[in-house]
Each structure stands twice: as C-alpha cells, then as structure tokens.
Amino acid sequence: AGIPVKERVKVSQNWRHGRCRRETVLKWKCKQVASSSSSFLMPWMELDGEYLYLSQAENIQAYQLCAEGTGLQRHPQAIFSGHQEDVCRFVLVNSHIVSGGGDGSIVLHKLHGSYSVKFSAHEQEVNCVDFQGGLIVSGSRDRTAKVWSLSAGRVGQCLHTVQTEDRVWSIAISPLLSSFVTGTACCGHISPLRIWDLESGQLLTCLGTDFHRGAGVLDVFYETPSLLLSCGYDTYIRYWDIRTSTRKCVQEWEEPHDSALYCIRSDKNHMIASGSSYYGVVRLWDKRQTRCLQSFHLSSPTSSPVYCLRFSTTHLYAALASALHVLDFTAS
C-alpha cells in the first residue's frame, strides 16, 4: 500500500530476477550447552507493520524497522519474557503474542501493556502454537496437541487433548476457526498431516498417503480455509486443496539439493518462499512454474538452516542460527 505503480513494477521485477541488496542486520552468539536439547538457538519471528519480533533464547524482542532502507533499530523497543527455557515458536495475533517454550509452558503477552499470563501446558517442550478466535492450539514433543481456552474466567483451561502418537512439529488453525492441522514427525503414525475438529478434538481427515517414515512436517501455512501449504524433512513443498482431494496434493515442488525444508510462507497469490536446512538457502517459487525461480545462499562457510522467514512487499527476512538477514528488493 502507498507504493507508486512504477515502483511496484520495479520491485516485482527485482523479486522475479533475484535483484536485491543483502544485509546482516543482527548477530547473536550461538550457545553451546551440553545438557540442552538444542545446542544453538532456533529463532522464530513475526512481522507486524513497523516492527519485527524475534525470539532469542527465552525472550521475544521487538525491533523497529527503519523507514528507509533494509535495516532495523539495533536495540529492541520491547522485550517479552516469561519462559525458563528457549522460546520454540510464537505467533502474533490481534496485539497479542502467544509463545510456546522448551519449559513446556505457554505465555500470552499483550503487546501494549503489562498484561501477561503463563500456564504449564505440556510435559515436554511446546514445539508450536497458534492462536485465533480466543483459542490457542499447541503441539509438543510429548506427542500431544492441545486446545486451550482464553475466554474470561477460563484462561489456560485445556479443552481437548489430542493423542498424535508422534512429536508435533507444526500446527495451524484454519481461517474458518472450525478445525486445525498438525504436522508431526511421521515416526509413530503413518500420516504426518492431520486435520482435527476444533470444537470436539476429533480427527476429521488425514492429508496424503504413502509418506516415508521420518517425512515429518516442519511448517504449515493456510492461505484460505481450503488451501494449505506444507513442507518438511522429505524436501517437498506441497499445496493441498481440501475441496479437491485429501489423498493427493494439487501441486508439489521438490527442493533441488535434497535439503529438508524448515519453513515456508506465501503471498497468498503466486509466490512461495522456503527456507532450507543447509547453508541458509532461501528459495523463491512461482506456483505457475515447476522449477525454483530464485535462490539465495545466506550462510557460508558455516552451514545453518533457515529456521524462519517472513516477507513484506519489498523485503524478505530470514532467521538463521546466529544472525538475521534481510533481502531488500527495492534496490535498483
């Protein structure tokens, strides 16, 4: 919004041809903790207009984006804390941050104000959370997904516990607020993608067939109530249309270097961005083409997965193990 047509055309061409200015805007130290389940940070982030929210260890920090250029203010404007161990994932919805942590708890913060709630949610780390319509869904290493109430007087009350038989890596509530999808490790249960009824907690459907053992789904993204993207360890991006078929995806794209895919996002139109497990590779895809449109290698010589990526019309942000990288597509 607010970008002149000529500038929009230029930016669009820059995305298509991979023309951008790259910058490492934040760096942090990788921690080495022998007892920890992960010896390095697995940052997650959300974009919200003028701010970028980034999890670093047990805190979530809000950085103001610079009006001009790629950068962001080096010092956080706000810090949201409450977890005893690393934040695994968080979502930003309606001026609230909901996070799940390695300590098994869920923390809810109001962005503006001191209000926060913390409750013990799972026996092991909370790998993923989503929050819509007064309900939180969470997935854990303890092989359960849970639905939580946030309504007055019932905050933190567990409404349903779903036995997934597998570690839950990713979770998302449908835009219709009637169901949610879980992406699991595909070790104990043959179907890594399952859709559950939000009101009853009952299984509605499984997506896909013939997944190989270990083809865990690391990220899921609803474009519409019936269109869903998934990616994970088996190196494929899959595009599901639940109206057409739950057995077969309508499109799939294979990561050309056989890397697991850690994260995925789309502009809900033609473009998809994915983050790979090696050398900080970010790829741009056009749904109308079978091959990758552009790729960017953000980490070398040390290899790091792209744990999370987000983009606006002009910038793409990628969080790696020890740095936040920005691609600025306004560059001429």
Side-chain angles (χ1 to χ4, degrees), residues 83-187:
H83 289 284
Q84 305 308 126
E85 291 183 39
D86 289 3
V87 173
C88 297
R89 295 231 177 149
F90 69 93
V91 288
L92 182 66
V93 182
N94 299 336
S95 300
H96 291 81
I97 290 178
V98 174
S99 57
D103 55 4
S105 67
I106 289 173
V107 177
L108 167 77
H109 290 285
K110 219 167 181 174
L111 283 188
H112 312 291
S114 56
Y115 175 80
S116 69
V117 173
K118 177 180 181 177
F119 54 92
S120 181
H122 289 270
E123 291 172 17
Q124 292 175 285
E125 61 249 43
V126 182
N127 289 322
C128 50
V129 288
D130 198 9
F131 167 49
Q132 300 279 346
L135 294 174
I136 293 173
V137 291
S138 61
S140 170
R141 187 179 184 166
D142 69 8
R143 302 181 177 195
T144 66
K146 295 186 179 185
V147 181
W148 306 90
S149 173
L150 276 186
S151 59
R154 300 177 71 189
V155 173
Q157 183 179 333
C158 182
L159 303 178
H160 305 293
T161 299
V162 169
Q163 302 295 334
T164 58
E165 301 166 52
D166 248 333
R167 181 176 187 151
V168 186
W169 281 116
S170 53
I171 202 161
I173 298 175
S174 158
L176 285 181
L177 309 182
S178 57
S179 61
F180 66 97
V181 62
T182 53
T184 57
C186 203
C187 294

Side-chain angles (χ1 to χ4, degrees), residues 16 62 72 95 109 185 192 209 222 244 261 279 306:
R16 178 162 293 279
L72 43 84
S95 300
H109 290 285
T209 55
Y222 272 106
T244 310
L261 293 170
Y279 297 106
V306 179

Side-chain angles (χ1 to χ4, degrees), residues 61-89:
Q61 305 186 346
Y63 294 91
Q64 187 158 17
L65 301 174
C66 296
E68 299 296 325
T70 62
L72 43 84
Q73 306 283 347
R74 297 298 162 119
H75 297 288
Q77 294 275 99
I79 298 175
F80 301 93
S81 55
H83 289 284
Q84 305 308 126
E85 291 183 39
D86 289 3
V87 173
C88 297
R89 295 231 177 149

Side-chain angles (χ1 to χ4, degrees), residues 275-288:
S276 303
S277 57
Y278 294 116
Y279 297 106
V281 174
V282 169
R283 295 193 196 279
L284 303 181
W285 309 79
D286 187 321
K287 289 178 191 166
R288 298 162 294 188

Side-chain angles (χ1 to χ4, degrees), residues 32 76 243:
Q32 298 295 334
R243 297 164 303 187

